[in-house]
Amino acid sequence: MNDQTPFRSPEWLRRDAIDALHFHRERSVDTHFGGYVAQVSDRDGAIYDSRTKHLVPTARFVFTFSVGKLLDGPVWCEPAAEHGLSYLRNVAYDEERDGYAWLFEGREPTDETRSTYGHAFVLLAYATATRAGIGDVADRIGETFDILDEQFWEADHGAFASNRTADWEPAEPDYRGQNANMHATEALLAAYEATGEERYRSRAATVAETIARDKPDEADGLLCEHFTSDWEVDWEYNRDEKADLFRPWGYQPGHMLEWAKLLVRLHHHDDADWYLDRAERFFDASVTDGWDDERGGFYYTIDREGEPIVDAKYTWALEEGLGAAARLGATTGDDRYWSWYDRIHDYLHEYATNRSLGIRYERLTPDGSIHPSIDDDPEGQERLPPRQRLLRGAGVAGRRLTSGSRPEPPARESATLGRSPTLISRTVERRL
């Protein structure tokens, strides 16, 4: 590793993370409805929907500001995180029926689905806040784990089931997915690191064995995304919706990189001998078949032969690649991971960031230009199932972005514009 490379420097990374938090402290902390404003355009940083609240961005922002305190950031990181903790408990949590609703208009629930994915992020938020000494929420870690355990856990299969209704009936009886289980593993590791309680590490290891070891061994050795209710690989799910924003058909290099990062974390807490081997396999598949050798960046999805299916590039996959490369490089001592770290960073800097404005785009076309986004496709947004309409107000955004009335971004925060809660949380997490 070349310690002179600025973007590998711990202090450079810390400053970059704090810069991101500065922007969102001023733009995203919602003092009217509570919680956070998540709908910020990746074109110019304009807010295009301040009312819609979503469980996952709320939890991600709590996580992010908590990490800010762990990084010895500004004193306002703590109250900014407490702001989100209050929304989680006083608005998102349904005390009568237990569990957390999915979507809100201001402070009123508009979708009360009980999401496995959402509850995993709530657990991550409480665990990270506790580790940072923010809020009196240590008891919420066990409470949220109990919800996941009692309502979603399928012990016979060693994994979490899919979504439930507000009354805890199956909302997707025929579907099981790896994505929610991946984020549950992330949250369980955070819970273990915050509390030292063995049940969290043990459950994370069980999910990893199912999703990252056993199920890939039943297929091509790679990470399968979709399963039937009996946890058989479902090769047909969304075959006709290959570019689905949340559940595309095929293998996702970004998720394999994310699992590589998690498996290295498990390796440091457990003595199982398969973690590093599988992490390296996922990483190698992602950079061998998932990386666009001609134009750079990770394809969104690849098929069973390693050929690209959807060749658009998402910034979050690049962030996961940086995290996986850094963890593998530090753990194995193999310089090839640091070489990939440099290559991924160079692409991210060259193509995924408009350096004149400092905007980091969410999605790029194969040649590195900006991909038409949800901001520009209100009709496409309306075609999404209601539970997937995370970014409303697209029509207003389109008008704001073309009318010349958009606000000029503050120069001090320009390096952080356009980063969604998803991207911000992944970016800041990489700094730890």
Side-chain angles (χ1 to χ4, degrees), residues 17-31:
I18 298 304
D19 283 346
L21 294 176
H22 267 291
F23 170 76
H24 279 284
R25 181 232 184 174
E26 296 187 7
R27 184 60 62 93
S28 296
V29 175
D30 186 348
T31 58

Side-chain angles (χ1 to χ4, degrees), residues 43-226:
R43 294 302 184 101
D44 68 349
I47 294 172
Y48 58 87
D49 181 355
S50 62
R51 294 180 63 90
T52 301
K53 308 296 177 186
H54 192 284
L55 181 63
V56 172
T58 302
R60 283 188 186 272
F61 271 124
V62 171
F63 164 83
T64 302
F65 286 116
S66 298
V67 171
K69 184 180 178 184
L70 289 169
L71 292 173
D72 195 26
V75 294
W76 46 255
C77 287
E78 182 164 353
E82 289 175 334
H83 183 80
L85 290 170
S86 174
Y87 194 92
L88 284 177
R89 195 61 190 175
N90 297 319
V91 179
Y93 181 68
D94 183 340
E95 189 168 357
E96 181 178 347
R97 291 181 291 185
D98 207 9
Y100 293 80
W102 178 252
L103 195 65
F104 310 85
E105 185 77 4
R107 298 177 66 84
E108 295 299 320
T110 56
D111 184 341
E112 298 191 73
T113 298
R114 302 300 193 251
S115 164
T116 326
Y117 185 91
H119 281 76
F121 276 103
V122 172
L123 178 59
L124 178 68
Y126 287 144
T128 312
T130 296
R131 183 179 165 199
I134 298 175
D136 186 15
V137 294
D139 290 345
R140 305 298 183 205
I141 298 174
E143 176 188 78
T144 310
F145 173 79
D146 288 344
I147 294 172
L148 283 162
D149 184 59
E150 293 167 10
Q151 302 295 348
F152 299 104
W153 182 244
E154 296 188 325
D156 291 345
H157 300 288
F160 292 99
S162 292
N163 298 338
R164 305 290 196 226
T165 68
D167 295 319
W168 296 110
E169 297 297 325
E172 298 178 296
D174 299 323
Y175 179 80
R176 302 292 185 271
Q178 87 75 23
N179 194 12
N181 280 275
M182 176 179 68
H183 285 290
T185 302
E186 175 187 36
L188 289 161
L189 283 171
Y192 173 67
E193 290 164 356
T195 68
E197 291 189 34
E198 175 63 19
R199 60 175 177 159
Y200 302 131
R201 187 213 59 80
S202 177
R203 180 61 58 82
T206 299
V207 177
E209 288 166 2
T210 299
I211 301 297
R213 185 190 68 183
D214 298 346
K215 293 305 173 183
D217 285 348
E218 296 173 10
D220 306 310
L222 301 181
L223 185 70
C224 302
E225 294 287 338
H226 312 300

Side-chain angles (χ1 to χ4, degrees), residues 52 103 381-392:
T52 301
L103 195 65
Q381 175 71 357
E382 289 304 312
R383 287 195 295 270
L384 289 173
R387 192 175 59 80
Q388 293 186 2
R389 294 176 196 165
L390 310 187
L391 304 174
R392 296 198 286 172

Side-chain angles (χ1 to χ4, degrees), residues 296-356:
F298 291 107
Y299 300 120
Y300 184 40
T301 52
I302 57 176
D303 66 17
R304 299 183 72 179
E305 285 70 48
E307 296 298 320
I309 302 171
V310 178
D311 57 5
K313 314 295 170 55
Y314 284 85
T315 313
W316 67 263
L318 297 164
E319 294 284 351
E320 295 299 347
L322 289 170
R327 287 185 181 273
L328 281 166
T331 300
T332 67
D334 190 335
D335 283 342
R336 72 188 180 97
Y337 294 115
W338 291 112
S339 294
W340 271 107
Y341 184 97
D342 293 344
R343 183 185 296 191
I344 295 166
H345 180 275
D346 288 346
Y347 177 84
L348 189 66
H349 182 66
E350 181 68 23
Y351 295 103
T353 303
N354 180 331
R355 282 172 290 174
S356 65

